[in-house]
Structure formats: structure tokens, C-alpha cells
């Protein structure tokens, strides 16, 4: 009597390790009333939980508005994932001057806002990106060492969000 072993069909297991990374960087330029650069710096940011939920919602529909405003403030509490607004806004949220997509694979979104004389005046230590002039969703927040904006100074912030996969 012969016995034969039952053979299982070959199973191929393919594993993918895809990591989507979302990062942001701000370029802050402060100028005096004559246009002379007083300060310039680059800062990194934190994409907050509400920002991640916002991105997911925009992937499935358009019920939420696009990012449209930027704000600066004087709060010094470290950026945390659970935050939904700045700690202490200086003035009001500024409407964005422009929003563009760039990069080799269109993987960057660049937001630009100008804070004119009298707007966002004071000891600035935080910034945030929002989809409304009040309330709405905050995409990201950052804190940094103080930038002192006098009443007659102007300031521009270029905020670049980069998506990458590895």
C-alpha cells in the first residue's frame, strides 16, 4: 500500500511597507517699514489630529473647505497633536495670498500669507494653518522663539506641506 502526501498549493506572500509622511516647514520673513529684512527663519511644524482628520475627509469628499487662513499668536505651549487652535492669537486670522502645488511629483502644497503693518503685531511665538476665518479645522501648528513684530513691520509666512512615501 502506498501513501501519498497531500501537497498544499504554493502561496506567495507579498508584503508592502509603505509609509506616508507628512511634514511642514515655514519660512518667516519680517521686514521693517522701509522693506529691510529684520529677521528670517525656517521652522518645522506639527500636523495635528484635526489636520489628519481634515485630510482624510477631503479624500472622500469636499464637505470641508480648503485651507484658506493663517494665524500667528503669542502662546508658548508646545505644539501637541490634540490642539485645535492657537493658544493666544494676535489679531485675527489672515486670508491666504496664494496656494500652489509644486514639486517634481506635485507632492508639495505651498501656502503664503502676508501680515501687513498693524496685523499680528506683538511677540509672535506660534503659527497655525486653518480652513476658515474663525473656528474650522487647524491643519498644523508650530511654536518658535519670539519674532517681535512692531506695528509698522510687515511679515510674510510661506508654509510648505510635503507628502512623501518610503
Amino acid at each position: 500500500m502506498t501513501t501519498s502526501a497531500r501537497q498544499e498549493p504554493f502561496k506567495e506572500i507579498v508584503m508592502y511597507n509603505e509609509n506616508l509622511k507628512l511634514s511642514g516647514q515655514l519660512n518667516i520673513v519680517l521686514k521693517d517699514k522701509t522693506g529691510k529684512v529684520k529677521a528670517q527663519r525656517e521652522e518645522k511644524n506639527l500636523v495635528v489630529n484635526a489636520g489628519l482628520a481634515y485630510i482624510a475627509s477631503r479624500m472622500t469628499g469636499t464637505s470641508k473647505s480648503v485651507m484658506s487662513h493663517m494665524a500667528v499668536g503669542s502662546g508658548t505651549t508646545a505644539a501637541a497633536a490634540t490642539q485645535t487652535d492657537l493658544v493666544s492669537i494676535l489679531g485675527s486670522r489672515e486670508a491666504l495670498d496664494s496656494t500652489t502645488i509644486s514639486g517634481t511629483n506635485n507632492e508639495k502644497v505651498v501656502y503664503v500669507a502676508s501680515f501687513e503693518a498693524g496685523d499680528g503685531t506683538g511677540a509672535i511665538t506660534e503659527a497655525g494653518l486653518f480652513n476658515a476665518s474663525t473656528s474650522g479645522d487647524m491643519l498644523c501648528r508650530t511654536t518658535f522663539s519670539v519674532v517681535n513684530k512692531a506695528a509698522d513691520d510687515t511679515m510674510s509666512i510661506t508654509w510648505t506641506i510635503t507628502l512623501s512615501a518610503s
Side-chain angles (χ1 to χ4, degrees), residues 144-158:
F144 42 85
S145 59
V146 70
V147 173
N148 288 305
K149 183 178 180 294
D152 57 357
D153 289 343
T154 61
M155 183 174 66
S156 66
I157 299 177
T158 302

Side-chain angles (χ1 to χ4, degrees), residues 92-108:
S92 58
R93 295 179 184 173
E94 287 291 318
L96 297 174
D97 298 331
S98 65
T99 302
T100 55
I101 295 175
S102 67
T104 306
N105 298 306
N106 291 327
E107 73 278 10
K108 296 180 182 197

Side-chain angles (χ1 to χ4, degrees), residues 8 30-31 35 44 46 50-51 66 69 75 77 80-81 89 91 100 110 117 121 123 131 141 153-154 161 163:
E8 293 292 321
L30 178 68
K31 296 180 180 179
K44 300 212 178 287
L46 172 68
V66 298
H69 288 76
T77 303
I89 293 176
T100 55
V110 181
T121 299
N131 71 341
R141 178 174 180 261
D153 289 343
T154 61
I161 306 295
L163 289 87

Side-chain angles (χ1 to χ4, degrees), residues 1 10 19 33 39 51 60 63 89 100 106 118 121 125 140 145 155 165:
M1 179 163 129
F10 174 72
N19 294 311
K33 63 183 175 183
T60 60
S63 63
I89 293 176
T100 55
N106 291 327
T121 299
T125 53
C140 40
S145 59
M155 183 174 66

